[in-house]
């Protein structure tokens, strides 16, 4: 089974960037060589992680990084997106931890040497516990600590990086972590959710200002998770429910960042849930972006549940991933077109897309044909949006390898590489091979084309 797109697709061109993505806490392990983060604390709290696991060892990438980079190279990708563990590189007193920094510097150097572009995420959810102890993202000061961390780390990395993103999915940090309490730090209050979101957005703006100063030659932006929100029926109530969900999920982050204001739904929030906006904040949050990273996994469908409440509805007839998420590639085209219509967008990168499937490892192979199908459908969906005018420059598969899937632990496998956690052996799945062949087919098509034109000239 292959992945393929029309030769004429913007995604078939050799200047379209293909990559794989990971995040520090999910793969690094070696927790004893860094300070604790909120996810360590959360994992140590009974009942929070489905399989009772933690990130202490994870994929042991910290010790196996050389082998992992060779693996990335063998996939023939143009780029690798990974995150820096803030508690590994900054001490409690706010100085650089040189040992921690050295780990990333060698990684960056090795990627550069192999001609693989580094897409560095500065914050992928692993807040130092010493900052959580002072209120975490509920404390406005955390945004300024983020700014200082960005200042130090970008100077230390110098010109090794191709692209930075300030935050990964602030919606998840704020909503899952501070409002629903299903992610670290596990707090549950609507007011907290909006407060954390505002301070995360502020941190983004402050971080972008530092990036513009310290690292003007990298592509600097932010990564947001998006899902189109559809009404279950055409009734006014369902449409209103879908609209409200869309405001909360997609526009609560996109609008401040792109236009310097919160969406209209802010007007219906009760006083105590309003974000703690101080004068000048919205201008700080709205910095010019070199690109916008979008993560897409599934769509959402809503129906009205009375009393101004909404509930999610799922179409049982669609295929589902192991996460219980509908496989719905059209949703990716739809959300890209919607955002492109509503905003003046910078260039877009799909910074995450992928699926947890019920993989089975047999005779040294994983025949994950369902994941290949998922990639095929979603790459086609990105291609369709690009053909309709959205400026999309790259696509990253989530994930390079199976890893710690947050509250789900290790049971959900998103990798295009299989990890046997007992031996830490890596095996490229059929989807990884298909992705590799698809990426390299662009090159082959290009050289065949140039050969043809050479003969044509004779
Ligand atoms: C995203 C996260 C990423 C991974 C995928 C499945 O929300 O950014 O770390 O867990 O979901």
């Amino acid at each position: 089974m292959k992945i393929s797109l029309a030769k004429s697709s913007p995604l078939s061109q050799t200047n379209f960037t293909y990559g794989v993505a990971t995040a520090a806490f999910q793969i690094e392990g070696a927790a004893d060589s860094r300070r604790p983060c909120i996810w360590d604390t959360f994992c140590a709290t009974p009942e929070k992680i489905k399989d009772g696991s933690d990130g202490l060892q994870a994929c042991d990438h910290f010790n196996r990084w050389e082998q992992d980079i060779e693996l990335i190279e063998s996939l023939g990708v143009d780029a690798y997106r990974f995150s820096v563990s803030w508690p590994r590189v900054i001490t409690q007193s706010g100085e650089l931890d040189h040992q921690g920094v050295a780990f990333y510097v060698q990684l960056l150097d090795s990627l550069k040497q192999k001609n693989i572009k580094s897409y560095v995420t500065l914050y992928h959810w692993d807040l130092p516990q010493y900052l959580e102890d002072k209120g975490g993202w509920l404390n406005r000061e955390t945004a300024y600590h983020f700014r200082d961390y960005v200042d130090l780390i970008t100077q230390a990395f110098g010109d090794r990086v191709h692209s930075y993103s300030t935050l990964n999915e602030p919606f998840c940090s704020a909503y899952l972590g501070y409002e629903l309490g299903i992610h670290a730090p596990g707090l549950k209050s609507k007011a907290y959710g909006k407060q954390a979101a505002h301070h995360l957005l502020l941190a983004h703006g402050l971080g972008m200002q530092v990036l513009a100063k310290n690292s003007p030659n990298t592509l600097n932006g932010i990564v947001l998770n998006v899902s189109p929100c559809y009404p279950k029926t055409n009734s006014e109530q369902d449409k209103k429910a879908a609209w409200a969900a869309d405001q909360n999920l997609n526009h609560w982050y996109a609008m401040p960042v792109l236009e310097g204001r919160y969406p209209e739904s802010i007007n219906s929030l009760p006083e105590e849930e309003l974000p703690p906006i101080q004068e000048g904040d919205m201008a700080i949050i709205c910095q010019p972006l070199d690109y916008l990273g979008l993560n897409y996994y599934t769509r959402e469908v809503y129906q009205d549940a009375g009393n101004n409440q909404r509930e999610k509805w799922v179409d049982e007839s669609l295929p589902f991933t192991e996460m219980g998420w509908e496989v719905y590639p059209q949703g990716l085209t739809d959300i890209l077109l919607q955002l492109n219509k509503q905003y003046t967008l910078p260039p877009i990168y799909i910074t995450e897309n992928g699926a947890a499937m019920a993989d089975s490892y047999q005779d040294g192979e994983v025949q994950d044909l369902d994941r290949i199908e998922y990639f095929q459908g979603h790459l086609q969906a990105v291609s369709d949006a690009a053909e309709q005018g959205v400026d999309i420059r790259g696509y990253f598969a989530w994930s390079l390898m199976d890893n710690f899937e947050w509250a789900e632990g290790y049971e959900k496998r998103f990798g295009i590489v299989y990890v046997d956690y007992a031996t830490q052996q890596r095996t490229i799945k059929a989807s990884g091979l298909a992705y590799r062949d698809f990426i390299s087919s662009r090159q082959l098509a290009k050289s065949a084309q140039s050969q043809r034109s050479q003969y044509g000239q004779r």
Side-chain angles (χ1 to χ4, degrees):
M1 199 182 220
K2 281 171 61 169
I3 300 175
S4 69
L5 293 177
K7 296 270 175 303
S8 59
S9 163
L11 273 71
S12 297
Q13 312 314 310
T14 44
N15 60 358
F16 191 90
T17 298
Y18 284 98
V20 284
T22 63
F25 190 84
Q26 296 179 277
I27 63 162
E28 279 182 9
D32 52 357
S33 60
R34 61 159 169 78
R35 282 148 218 91
C37 72
I38 53 176
W39 273 92
D40 295 307
T41 313
F42 195 66
C43 292
T45 314
E47 321 265 290
K48 296 294 183 194
I49 311 298
K50 275 210 182 120
D51 58 2
S53 63
D54 54 48
L56 300 180
Q57 201 200 356
C59 305
D60 196 29
H61 169 72
F62 185 81
N63 295 308
R64 292 166 198 265
W65 67 272
E66 281 179 284
Q67 176 198 331
D68 287 340
I69 290 192
E70 276 166 26
L71 188 63
I72 295 170
E73 187 182 26
S74 80
L75 292 170
V77 292
D78 309 303
Y80 174 42
R81 173 176 180 251
F82 64 96
S83 80
V84 174
S85 156
W86 181 352
R88 194 181 280 295
V89 296
I90 302 287
T91 67
Q92 185 157 356
S93 53
E95 278 127 38
L96 279 181
D97 175 329
H98 292 286
Q99 257 183 327
V101 173
F103 169 68
Y104 295 106
V105 165
Q106 61 187 4
L107 194 77
L108 289 166
D109 282 341
S110 164
L111 288 166
K112 200 162 195 183
Q113 197 213 334
K114 295 185 186 308
N115 221 357
I116 300 168
K117 294 177 183 133
S118 300
Y119 281 66
V120 175
T121 309
L122 292 161
Y123 183 68
H124 200 126
W125 308 356
D126 45 358
L127 188 73
Q129 182 61 40
Y130 58 77
L131 292 179
E132 184 60 34
D133 294 342
K134 293 184 177 164
W137 290 111
L138 299 179
N139 182 353
R140 188 177 167 90
E141 280 301 303
T142 299
Y144 292 89
H145 287 296
F146 178 75
R147 176 199 61 189
D148 296 345
Y149 148 55
V150 176
D151 186 27
L152 291 176
I153 201 69
T154 49
Q155 291 185 53
F157 287 170
D159 63 0
R160 294 175 176 87
V161 174
H162 180 78
S163 163
Y164 282 109
S165 65
T166 51
L167 308 177
N168 176 71
E169 302 187 352
F171 168 86
C172 292
S173 298
Y175 185 67
L176 306 182
Y178 289 84
E179 185 162 337
L180 295 189
I182 56 174
H183 275 190
L187 301 179
K188 282 183 208 165
S189 131
K190 282 193 169 177
Y192 286 173
K194 291 289 180 272
Q195 208 172 318
H198 186 69
H199 294 146
L200 280 153
L201 286 166
L202 183 64
H204 157 73
L206 293 166
M208 286 302 294
Q209 290 178 335
V210 174
L211 288 168
K213 186 164 124 278
N214 290 6
S215 191
N217 297 325
T218 46
L219 288 179
N220 302 327
I222 185 172
V223 170
L224 304 178
N225 54 306
V226 290
S227 290
C229 300
Y230 305 95
K232 185 184 170 212
T233 70
N234 259 334
S235 74
E236 284 313 310
Q237 293 92 322
D238 284 0
K239 281 196 208 157
K240 213 176 135 207
W243 175 84
D246 185 35
Q247 299 262 301
N248 189 47
L249 170 63
N250 300 311
H251 300 293
W252 201 265
Y253 300 86
M255 203 177 278
V257 157
L258 295 167
E259 296 185 344
R261 61 194 171 102
Y262 279 108
E264 212 181 300
S265 58
I266 194 171
N267 299 326
S268 48
L269 284 183
E271 179 80 31
E272 67 277 11
E273 285 173 31
L274 286 173
I277 308 171
Q278 293 191 11
E279 210 189 316
D281 282 4
M282 300 315 289
I284 295 176
I285 292 170
C286 179
Q287 297 295 315
L289 300 177
D290 297 328
Y291 76 98
L292 175 64
L294 298 176
N295 295 350
Y296 177 82
Y297 290 93
T298 191
R299 68 161 178 178
E300 307 213 332
V301 182
Y302 284 92
Q303 60 185 343
D304 178 56
N307 266 341
N308 250 340
Q309 303 291 311
R310 56 180 181 269
E311 66 190 16
K312 264 195 207 177
W313 176 83
V314 285
D315 183 347
E316 302 287 347
S317 70
L318 288 175
F320 285 85
T321 70
E322 285 291 287
M323 295 293 279
W325 297 345
E326 284 177 0
V327 176
Y328 196 75
Q330 179 64 38
L332 180 49
T333 312
D334 289 352
I335 189 72
L336 285 165
L337 294 176
Q338 282 170 19
L339 293 171
N340 197 43
K341 191 167 165 207
Q342 174 159 352
Y343 299 104
T344 306
L345 294 177
I348 298 292
Y349 284 75
I350 306 301
T351 32
E352 282 179 30
N353 176 236
M357 297 295 188
D359 294 335
S360 98
Y361 177 87
Q362 261 174 352
D363 304 328
E365 291 181 1
V366 179
Q367 288 299 335
D368 56 339
L369 305 187
D370 42 6
R371 189 176 283 105
I372 298 181
E373 228 174 283
Y374 183 97
F375 283 128
Q376 171 67 45
H378 287 77
L379 282 162
Q380 183 62 55
V382 178
S383 175
D384 291 347
E387 303 246 15
Q388 290 173 67
V390 188
D391 180 5
I392 309 166
R393 308 268 175 102
Y395 175 97
F396 291 76
W398 183 270
S399 176
L400 165 65
M401 57 185 158
D402 296 335
N403 57 47
F404 176 75
E405 178 45 37
W406 309 111
E408 302 290 326
Y410 293 95
E411 279 166 12
K412 303 289 187 284
R413 294 177 174 272
F414 272 92
I416 58 173
V417 172
Y418 185 87
V419 177
D420 176 338
Y421 293 109
T423 60
Q424 289 296 350
Q425 193 189 318
R426 279 79 160 129
T427 306
I428 304 181
K429 300 179 192 177
S431 60
L433 300 174
Y435 192 51
R436 178 197 68 188
D437 292 347
F438 163 66
I439 293 169
S440 71
S441 68
R442 293 174 308 160
Q443 207 55 52
L444 296 175
K446 197 180 169 194
S447 52
Q449 209 175 36
S450 73
Q451 254 180 19
R452 268 200 304 276
S453 63
Q454 261 175 20
Y455 292 134
Q457 271 163 20
R458 271 189 203 168

